[in-house]
Amino acid sequence: MSTLSLSTLRLNLSRYDYSGLGLPALVLLIMAMLVLPLPPLLLDILFTFNIACSLVIIMIAIGTRKPLEFSSFPSVLLFATMLRLGLNVASTRVILVNGHEGHDAAGKVVAAFGEIVIGGNYVVGFIIFAILMIINFIVVTKGAGRVSEVNARFTLDAMPGKQMSIDADLNAGVIDQDTAKKRREELAQESDFFGSMDGASKFVSGDAVAGLLILVINLVGGLAVGIGQHNLSLSEAGRIYTLLTIGDGLVAQIPSLFLSLATAIIVTRVTTSESMTEQATTQLANPTALFLAAGILAILGAVPGMPHLVFLTLSLGTAAIAWGILQRRDRPAPEPVTAAAQAALDEPKELDWDDVDQVDLIGLEIGYGLIPLVNPETGGQLLSRVKGVRKKLSAELGFLVQSVRIRDALNIDPDAYHIVLKGVARGKGQVKVGRELAINPGQVYGPLEGQATKEPAFGLDAVWIDPAERDHARTLGYTVVDASTAIATHLNKVLRDNASDLLSHDEVQQLLDKLAAKAPKLVEDLVPGKLSLGVVTRTLQNLLNESVSIRDMRSIVETLSEASSRTQEPDQLTAIVRPKLGRMIVQSLVDESNSLSVMTLDPGLEQLLHNVLQQSAPGQNMAIEPGLAERLFAALRDGARAVEEMGHPAVLVVSPTIRPWLSRAARYRVNDLTLLSYSEIPDDQSVKVVHTVHAETR
């Protein structure tokens, strides 16, 4: 190998992270114990290490506040179990091969534990060991396994509800995306952990069974080897191999019992902010229970024949503990040192900016009677409906509509709700939980029994009916929706009517950044070179005010870039941009034959409006005679109603000069009227005039 290769190898070895070699080394050690014979001294070290590991594990389990804090426990339990079984195999090999040499054949640890338990009586020692096995296998291991199984089942069953709860909090604005992601990860870890614990508990039960079988093998095999191969008497072989077998089993069963207890502690933990010791100490410190226990002990101590001293002493000790707990609870709080200190404590806290809350951009306040609509666990659909409204509006308007903050409000009626924009209620209504709203679309074939009302979004006549009447109402021509859909429809209308209020500088900057990813030079030339971000924002808000989508940002930015040399006024820029978006504006107004049905102004009326506009000062509102204005808007309302009865949307086409003023003036006076200029209609678009608006002049 060349010098360069050797130097490269040394460099790679020096950079290697050796912190991950612990588990591979443990696996190799377990494999060695299963295959290679180990000396008694090494067995003593490994048995002691096994006991230390089990003690560390159970202490960690006791101090854990919630199971996920010890999420590695199933894997740790697997390796600890394999280490103990490997030691069992290694010690069995030594006992069967060298057991005839005496009590120390398998090491000092095995001999010491065997002598302590047996205490000179092999029958008693064997019975004590059997009791330990029964406690471990029947009581602790079996109970922990059952609890693990139930925990895994209920955790998996509860996952959908918990996931929906996270989504509900996210949609309601209670948590942000990062918190929701973290809670979802914790939920996934929790399900994985309890699923793993269900399987890991089988390791513990299998370990207990293996310990019992190894005990029988050691005892029977030891007697056979001692009598058959080493010519020991039955009593001598029984004495030696019984001591070694029980000592070996006890050294293994003590760590096994600790692991079983740790498993039971983990799976029976109730998740709180306290450790098991703190939780038990707090809950067991019950003076009433302690006084009752002390009284019963005192009564038992007074019974003739009972050990009076022991019972009465324990009774007094229990009563003293209860008395001490009562004294601590009744101890008054420390009094303030001086009156000045008390005054300082009572002095109100200095205000800072944290005490000033920002209003939510979009809010939905609901009465307490509507809370079931928000809870997915009770079948509430409001959160999903609101999310659907946001998704639909974002796609149609061309920018991301911010989250809707849903909160309960005690200052409104139980069945009422308020749609709030920037802290101001822009829509109000009432719905009935558990009932459905049958809306009269204009033509129905019979009445319905129920509570008459008005549909909150559009003010149509409606009736609250029982869900069982839904199909009957639909056969009569009614449109039937549930309470959540009624609120969502109202929310959709309010947000659509106030779309310009939802668009701020931040959203416009994000739209420009998104466009810059595909056309960087176009955006770079416009902002801030030719137009400021404020002017662009105001122009886009004007388009939204006139119900024009801003999805085609490329065309908008190109037009603004070309028009920036002529004007910097947002209103004029809006009038220049609209013709470029003509096809998109018209596409939702044409009928099935791709024909645009429109209204026009009487030529004399349109010329009159032109003359009035020319006489008005620039930058001021158009000064129109009040009587003429009243007749004009009344005629527009009548014309819009007539066109809608024909089955067409109400569209008025006027000259580009008067369109901006007439659009602003008619916006709140004529419902659902769309105003177009002649220049906004594509040249190849088929147009059909279905109505002419007349307003007699005096």
Side-chain angles (χ1 to χ4, degrees):
M1 185 179 291
S2 64
T3 305
L4 180 60
S5 299
L6 287 173
S7 61
T8 303
L9 178 61
R10 293 191 189 98
L11 180 60
N12 290 335
L13 289 175
S14 64
R15 292 178 177 176
Y16 188 80
D17 185 7
Y18 295 97
S19 61
L21 294 179
L23 287 180
L26 180 60
V27 173
L28 291 177
L29 176 62
I30 294 173
M31 294 300 296
M33 288 189 294
L34 294 175
V35 178
L36 302 177
L38 301 181
L41 178 60
L42 185 56
L43 280 179
D44 288 344
I45 296 174
L46 291 176
F47 275 127
T48 307
F49 173 74
N50 188 27
I51 294 173
C53 287
S54 62
L55 287 172
V56 171
I57 291 172
I58 194 172
M59 293 305 161
I60 294 176
I62 292 174
T64 299
R65 298 181 184 274
K66 57 182 180 179
L68 285 184
E69 289 184 1
F70 199 4
S71 59
S72 62
F73 181 71
S75 300
V76 171
L77 185 62
L78 171 61
F79 282 103
T81 302
M82 287 305 301
L83 175 62
R84 195 194 66 75
L85 292 176
L87 280 173
N88 268 143
V89 174
S91 62
T92 298
R93 181 186 295 109
V94 173
I95 289 173
L96 295 180
V97 173
N98 302 324
H100 64 283
E101 296 178 0
H103 296 166
D104 296 340
K108 300 290 185 181
V109 175
V110 172
F113 273 89
E115 291 175 355
I116 290 174
V117 174
I118 292 175
N121 191 324
Y122 294 96
V123 176
V124 174
F126 187 81
I127 293 173
I128 296 298
F129 179 78
I131 292 173
L132 289 176
M133 293 285 294
I134 292 172
I135 292 173
N136 187 14
F137 181 67
I138 301 298
V139 180
V140 181
T141 302
K142 190 172 182 180
R146 178 58 179 165
V147 174
S148 298
E149 180 182 352
V150 173
N151 275 343
R153 182 184 306 165
F154 280 100
T155 300
L156 294 177
D157 290 344
M159 274 195 68
K162 293 180 179 179
Q163 190 70 258
M164 293 174 67
S165 176
I166 295 173
D167 294 338
D169 289 345
L170 178 61
N171 292 331
V174 178
I175 59 177
D176 55 15
Q177 288 284 357
D178 294 335
T179 306
K181 182 179 179 181
K182 182 178 179 181
R183 287 174 58 178
R184 289 192 187 100
E185 290 176 354
E186 290 180 353
L187 183 60
Q189 291 176 0
E190 183 180 355
S191 63
D192 292 342
F193 175 79
F194 284 108
S196 300
M197 282 302 302
D198 186 23
S201 62
K202 303 301 186 294
F203 300 154
V204 179
S205 60
D207 177 41
V209 175
L212 181 61
L213 295 178
I214 291 173
L215 172 71
V216 176
I217 291 172
N218 280 347
L219 188 57
V220 176
L223 291 176
V225 171
I227 296 173
Q229 295 183 6
H230 300 291
N231 299 320
L232 297 177
S233 64
L234 179 61
S235 60
E236 183 66 16
R239 183 180 62 82
I240 295 175
Y241 286 103
T242 300
L243 185 144
L244 291 175
T245 299
I246 294 178
D248 174 62
L250 189 61
V251 171
Q253 282 304 308
I254 288 179
S256 177
L257 183 59
F258 286 160
L259 292 178
S260 300
L261 284 174
T263 304
I265 290 171
I266 289 292
V267 298
T268 57
R269 285 283 290 122
V270 176
T271 301
T272 63
S273 60
E274 300 175 321
S275 66
M276 188 186 74
T277 304
E278 296 169 342
Q279 190 177 7
T281 302
T282 303
Q283 297 176 4
L284 291 177
N286 188 325
T288 302
L290 292 174
F291 276 125
L292 289 174
I296 294 173
L297 287 175
I299 294 173
L300 291 175
V303 175
M306 286 289 186
H308 308 296
L309 180 62
V310 175
F311 275 91
L312 294 178
T313 301
L314 288 177
S315 175
L316 291 175
T318 305
I321 294 174
W323 178 259
I325 294 172
L326 282 178
Q327 291 299 310
R328 285 197 301 271
R329 290 184 179 179
D330 297 338
R331 187 177 302 164
E335 296 182 358
V337 179
T338 60
Q342 180 64 41
L345 291 175
D346 294 339
E347 184 178 353
K349 178 186 174 183
E350 187 66 27
L351 294 177
D352 55 25
W353 282 105
D354 293 334
D355 297 310
V356 181
D357 293 333
Q358 296 291 326
V359 297
D360 297 321
L361 179 61
I362 310 174
L364 178 60
E365 298 179 350
I366 60 175
Y368 65 84
L370 305 184
I371 292 178
L373 297 179
V374 185
N375 187 2
E377 296 181 359
T378 59
Q381 299 291 326
L382 184 57
L383 293 176
S384 61
R385 297 283 193 276
V386 170
K387 185 176 181 181
V389 168
R390 288 184 58 222
K391 184 176 181 180
K392 182 173 181 291
L393 281 179
S394 298
E396 293 178 355
L397 298 178
F399 66 95
L400 180 64
V401 177
Q402 291 194 18
S403 299
V404 179
R405 181 73 177 272
I406 303 177
R407 62 178 66 184
D408 59 329
L410 299 179
N411 59 335
I412 63 177
D413 293 337
D415 295 334
Y417 65 89
H418 292 173
I419 300 172
V420 181
L421 298 183
K422 296 181 179 179
V424 179
R426 307 296 290 273
K428 298 180 180 180
Q430 287 192 345
V431 295
K432 302 293 183 182
V433 176
R435 309 195 74 183
E436 298 197 354
L437 186 65
I439 305 170
N440 185 346
Q443 182 178 4
V444 294
Y445 303 99
L448 279 176
E449 293 184 2
Q451 182 179 350
T453 184
K454 291 287 185 180
E455 191 272 334
F458 302 98
L460 301 176
D461 292 333
V463 180
W464 285 109
I465 62 174
D466 291 328
E469 298 291 326
R470 181 191 307 117
D471 295 337
H472 175 62
R474 288 174 176 170
T475 58
L476 295 178
Y478 288 86
T479 301
V480 183
V481 297
D482 58 18
S484 297
T485 304
I487 297 176
T489 303
H490 196 184
L491 176 67
N492 179 77
K493 183 178 186 302
V494 171
L495 295 183
R496 187 181 296 277
D497 292 344
N498 299 275
S500 61
D501 291 338
L502 308 180
L503 185 73
S504 66
H505 290 68
D506 292 333
E507 283 78 17
V508 174
Q509 185 63 58
Q510 291 181 17
L511 288 174
L512 294 175
D513 293 342
K514 186 177 180 180
L515 179 60
K518 298 181 179 179
K521 189 62 178 176
L522 178 62
V523 177
E524 181 182 348
D525 290 342
L526 179 65
V527 179
K530 297 180 178 180
L531 294 176
S532 67
L533 182 62
V535 173
V536 176
T537 301
R538 184 57 188 159
T539 303
L540 296 179
Q541 289 175 341
N542 287 344
L543 292 172
L544 292 172
N545 261 332
E546 297 176 349
S547 301
V548 178
S549 172
I550 59 174
R551 289 178 297 172
D552 189 6
M553 279 296 295
R554 179 185 288 271
S555 298
I556 294 174
V557 171
E558 288 175 350
T559 307
L560 290 177
S561 182
E562 295 172 359
S564 60
S565 59
R566 288 179 280 167
T567 181
Q568 299 279 316
E569 290 295 325
D571 292 342
Q572 297 179 18
L573 290 172
T574 303
I576 297 173
V577 169
R578 282 182 59 96
K580 298 294 184 180
L581 303 177
R583 290 191 182 276
M584 186 173 65
I585 297 173
V586 169
Q587 69 176 354
S588 61
L589 303 174
V590 297
D591 56 21
E592 296 179 355
S593 61
N594 200 32
S595 177
L596 179 62
S597 300
V598 300
M599 300 187 299
T600 59
L601 293 179
D602 177 73
L605 175 61
E606 188 164 357
Q607 183 61 45
L608 175 62
L609 295 178
H610 270 286
N611 296 337
V612 174
L613 182 61
Q614 290 175 357
Q615 296 172 4
S616 301
Q620 294 183 358
N621 291 330
M622 184 173 173
I624 186 173
E625 193 267 325
L628 176 60
E630 183 179 353
R631 293 193 298 274
L632 171 63
F633 294 124
L636 287 176
R637 285 191 291 269
D638 294 339
R641 188 180 307 110
V643 171
E644 289 176 349
E645 289 176 354
M646 298 179 191
H648 307 297
V651 180
L652 177 66
V653 180
V654 296
S655 66
T657 306
I658 65 173
R659 195 212 66 83
W661 168 82
L662 192 56
S663 175
R664 289 193 299 270
R667 184 175 304 155
Y668 302 108
R669 294 179 174 90
V670 184
N671 293 330
D672 299 327
L673 177 64
T674 302
L675 269 90
L676 300 179
S677 68
Y678 299 120
S679 61
E680 294 171 4
I681 301 176
D683 295 337
D684 58 351
Q685 176 63 54
S686 173
V687 179
K688 180 173 60 175
V689 178
V690 296
H691 185 80
T692 301
V693 177
H694 298 273
E696 297 179 359
T697 59
R698 297 177 181 176

